[in-house]
Amino acid sequence: MKITTWNVNSVRLRLPLIEKFIAKMEPDVLCLQETKVVDDLFPAEAFANLGYTHQKFAGMKSYNGVAILSKLPFSTSGKMDWVGKEDCRHVEVTLDGGPEIHNFYIPAGGDVPDPAENDKFAHKLGFIDEMTTWSAGLKGGKKKRIILGDFNIAPSEADVWSHKQLLKVVSHTPIEVDRLAALAKAGDWIDAVRHLSSEDEKLFSWWSYRARDWTAADRGRRLDHIWVSPALKGSLEFVDILREARGWETPSDHVPVTLKLR
DNA sequence: ATGGTCGGTGTCCGA
């Protein structure tokens, strides 16, 4: 089974690129973030025509929005609100006879890495803390689970182009990195992408739009993640971060990250 | 140290 996470930054604008990606990678399950569309206007038919007939999405006007589009059937699905906000940052499905999949869009957190000064940063930390409590409640189970999405945090030095220059930049500050580590620990989550790569290999899934040439200095960060429960550790086969998608015409600033499981 | 660019149904805000 191949499962992909991709922050597409508008599902309607990006539809041709998503089709291009599907033709190339043929994922069984496609998890999108920042769809930026209400459910009534979600391009459900376009995905159904591509074979993704099993769908769960939750969107709002202008901001956020997540979707799970699957070729494999699921009979259980849902969505949860986090930190008391109905802002469409999570959907979940349980594939028939397969894993439970949770698709997250963690808040970006604004510019100032201080929760006392910046409500958006406080929201980000609160969101992760709530995920941590939730994960701790799942612990001990032998269930096959996947959590993935745009976590908006690049945890390790190998996940950023310059550890030193990003220490005070939201996405790589020690406070966020520590919270994310606490989340991983509470749920026994395994970072599948890092597990299948070497610890010090530079891996990026996002490059800012604010650069004349995103390839020039390769100033990327790994913000998009796929984590699995211990029950799936032995099933991890390979991972693909489709860097070339950042160079496609009218790209998202994120590229798709795909995991293959046996 | 600064400012740079996207997308939305927008004339700013969030990323």
Side-chain angles (χ1 to χ4, degrees), chain A residues 85 107 109-110 112 114-126:
Chain A
K85 290 180 198 283
V112 182
D114 177 354
E117 217 174 296
N118 173 10
D119 289 344
K120 290 182 203 163
F121 196 70
H123 180 211
K124 183 178 198 174
L125 298 181

Side-chain angles (χ1 to χ4, degrees), chain A residues 160-177:
Chain A
V160 290
W161 64 276
S162 167
H163 172 62
K164 201 172 170 181
Q165 287 181 254
L166 288 172
L167 270 170
K168 291 178 181 173
V169 175
V170 171
S171 72
H172 192 62
T173 64
I175 182 167
E176 296 163 82
V177 171

Side-chain angles (χ1 to χ4, degrees), chain A residues 98-135:
Chain A
E100 189 177 295
I101 299 163
H102 294 266
N103 179 14
F104 285 96
Y105 177 45
I106 295 178
D111 292 328
V112 182
D114 177 354
E117 217 174 296
N118 173 10
D119 289 344
K120 290 182 203 163
F121 196 70
H123 180 211
K124 183 178 198 174
L125 298 181
F127 195 104
I128 296 163
D129 288 347
E130 215 167 280
M131 285 176 71
T132 303
T133 306
W134 169 75
S135 291

Side-chain angles (χ1 to χ4, degrees), chain A residues 163-259:
Chain A
H163 172 62
K164 201 172 170 181
Q165 287 181 254
L166 288 172
L167 270 170
K168 291 178 181 173
V169 175
V170 171
S171 72
H172 192 62
T173 64
I175 182 167
E176 296 163 82
V177 171
D178 290 350
R179 298 287 180 112
L180 196 70
L183 166 57
K185 192 179 176 193
D188 281 335
W189 297 114
I190 297 152
D191 177 344
V193 177
R194 196 48 84 181
H195 183 81
L196 292 167
S197 316
S198 73
E199 284 299 308
D200 54 0
E201 183 189 356
K202 291 278 187 187
L203 295 172
F204 308 144
S205 65
W206 173 91
W207 292 261
S208 173
Y209 281 131
R210 299 177 192 176
R212 260 177 232 101
D213 179 0
W214 70 278
T215 61
D218 197 22
R219 296 185 169 186
R221 307 175 202 169
R222 188 170 71 105
L223 304 179
D224 304 276
H225 300 275
I226 304 178
W227 291 2
V228 302
S229 64
L232 286 172
K233 190 175 182 178
S235 307
L236 303 176
E237 200 157 287
F238 75 75
V239 67
D240 177 85
I241 303 178
L242 195 63
R243 181 187 172 93
E244 68 167 66
R246 186 62 179 82
W248 290 350
E249 205 175 329
T250 59
S252 169
D253 44 355
H254 296 252
V255 299
V257 179
T258 301
L259 174 70

